[in-house]
Amino acid sequence: MSVRKQLRTALCGLALTGVVVTTTQGPAAATPVVDGAAKVSAVAAAEDAAARSMARSLADSAWRAEAGRAVAGGKEIGLKALADTSRTRAAASLGGDVAAADRSVLAAKGLTASAGGLLTVTLTGAVDSRRAPLVAVAPSDDEAAAVTAYDTQGRAHALDPSRTPDVPVYVIGIDGDKAVEAGMKVLDRELAARGVATAATPAAATAAGTGFWTSRITSVRLNDDKEPWIKGDAEIFSVVSGFGLDGKVRVDTVTHPYLNNDGTTYYPNQILVNWSQYKYNLADVVMMEDDGDTNYSALAKAIATALLTIADLGAYIPLVDPVVDAIPSSFWTDDADFVDAWYTLSRETTGTRDGAGGNGRFTFDRYWVSAL
């Protein structure tokens, strides 16, 4: 998941020294300290492999200097792109490992190679220190009490989030915005392939060539974005569902790339529902957060399986519960978190509407989109 300003602020302000070196030896020295009952997701394993490889590569002083300059000032950049810019042998070896890790991430998230590399890196801690850097990974467990990092010898360190770091710390993460953008395309395409009408399928009708009414988000606020500080900005998207003009269930996906932090009100003026695509004057919204390991292909299959059993009986049937039930429940894999849901929005809905869970708040207005 994307590691941005919250991560940098939190690591610099709260955390990371009082480094405890894991004393295991040999290959096991690079293994994260994990509870025996815990499971490691495919994405977390790929991030961890990339972190270990980068840590070893930074033993090369020339490459370490190049990497430090590239991410100076808190910039977050693609890890593969960073490695590819260098001619050092260490960077070349890292680039091969990162390419393999990126392929594992894409496969785990149900994305194709066209999405590009998702692994990113940023630099925090005592960036001007002459001490050898560490490389950390944001933990997949939202409740993790420590952060695992590696030194240039491949040894694992448990970073204590209680004191300001006195060493440079590179943090490996996932470009969440890029992942969600690619994921929505997969979700739309695979829902359509399974018979659920989406934006990826041709419109059943036009709005008589004049335009159409929409529900527009004028403001939005979340109490909890389901994203811990170690992971930075949230990656939020919504699944809008209802019955299409043909009487069959319809799903439209909407991303909210601006919705980074909880406790903050945003004013996006973003269209949420295009009412010309719906038979009834009602639709439901389920908001989710991509926690890194969301497999969009699997999510599409689960949603389609749940919704295609629902028939139009001549009256609107709320679809929030089937969509929520379809969200993967294996939270140890850091799957999509449920954020909140809004039942039975109508074209006439205006003003403030709290989500059913009391976590989110939308303010809507009616907005007419004129035809060209």
Side-chain angles (χ1 to χ4, degrees):
M1 177 152 291
S2 180
V3 185
R4 294 186 176 86
K5 58 180 176 296
Q6 286 186 25
L7 173 59
R8 293 193 295 269
T9 300
L11 291 184
C12 290
L14 293 177
L16 287 183
T17 7
V19 174
V20 179
V21 179
T22 303
T23 57
T24 51
Q25 299 180 2
T31 302
V33 180
V34 181
D35 180 84
K39 299 179 181 179
V40 178
S41 72
V43 171
E47 289 178 296
D48 188 73
R52 285 184 278 125
S53 180
M54 182 170 185
R56 290 192 298 269
S57 76
L58 292 174
D60 183 321
S61 59
W63 160 236
R64 186 166 69 211
E66 288 182 23
R69 288 192 296 270
V71 294
K75 290 185 293 186
E76 181 185 45
I77 63 176
L79 185 54
K80 182 65 166 61
L82 173 63
D84 288 347
T85 60
S86 175
R87 295 183 178 180
T88 64
R89 182 176 300 178
S93 177
L94 172 63
D97 292 342
V98 172
D102 265 326
R103 288 193 294 271
S104 295
V105 170
L106 291 172
K109 294 181 72 61
L111 302 176
T112 65
S114 62
L118 296 179
L119 288 169
T120 63
V121 62
T122 190
L123 178 63
T124 188
V127 297
D128 296 324
S129 170
R130 294 182 179 274
R131 295 181 59 184
L134 298 175
V135 182
V137 177
S140 60
D141 180 3
D142 289 356
E143 305 300 324
V147 177
T148 298
Y150 302 99
D151 63 23
T152 56
Q153 301 302 311
R155 294 173 297 185
H157 300 247
L159 305 182
D160 179 5
S162 62
R163 286 178 285 175
T164 303
D166 58 1
V167 296
V169 180
Y170 290 87
V171 183
I172 306 299
I174 300 292
D175 188 331
D177 289 340
K178 189 176 179 181
V180 169
E181 181 180 359
M184 292 303 97
K185 294 177 181 177
V186 170
L187 198 60
D188 286 344
R189 184 176 66 247
E190 297 205 10
L191 283 171
R194 289 175 169 83
V196 177
T198 70
T201 55
T206 64
T210 59
F212 52 90
W213 281 106
T214 69
S215 287
R216 184 174 64 169
I217 305 167
T218 57
S219 72
V220 58
R221 181 184 181 91
L222 298 179
N223 296 324
D224 180 3
D225 60 13
K226 304 301 178 182
E227 185 72 334
W229 60 266
I230 186 64
K231 292 185 179 177
D233 296 343
E235 280 74 42
I236 303 290
F237 62 96
S238 291
V239 174
V240 181
S241 59
F243 289 89
L245 300 175
D246 58 0
K248 297 179 181 179
V249 171
R250 177 182 183 85
V251 170
D252 290 298
T253 56
V254 179
T255 61
H256 308 287
Y258 53 87
L259 195 50
N260 292 329
N261 305 315
D262 50 24
T264 301
T265 302
Y266 296 89
Y267 303 91
N269 289 325
Q270 180 185 29
I271 291 174
L272 184 66
V273 187
N274 173 357
W275 291 106
S276 72
Q277 303 292 338
Y278 291 86
K279 174 180 178 180
Y280 297 105
N281 187 26
L282 294 170
D284 299 306
V285 178
V286 175
M287 181 180 282
M288 303 184 215
E289 199 274 332
D290 180 343
D291 247 354
D293 290 345
T294 304
N295 185 309
Y296 290 97
S297 179
L299 183 60
K301 181 178 180 180
I303 292 175
T305 299
L307 294 184
L308 287 175
T309 63
I310 301 172
D312 177 14
L313 302 178
Y316 186 74
I317 302 171
L319 300 174
V320 166
D321 292 346
V323 172
V324 171
D325 289 344
I327 298 174
S329 59
S330 51
F331 287 106
W332 62 265
T333 63
D334 216 12
D335 272 324
D337 279 342
F338 169 76
V339 177
D340 213 331
W342 287 259
Y343 287 78
T344 57
L345 296 178
S346 75
R347 191 179 70 183
E348 286 70 38
T349 298
T350 59
T352 299
R353 281 282 301 271
D354 289 334
N359 186 38
R361 172 172 291 179
F362 277 134
T363 302
F364 297 101
D365 69 0
R366 297 176 64 198
Y367 184 73
W368 175 258
V369 178
S370 300
L372 294 175

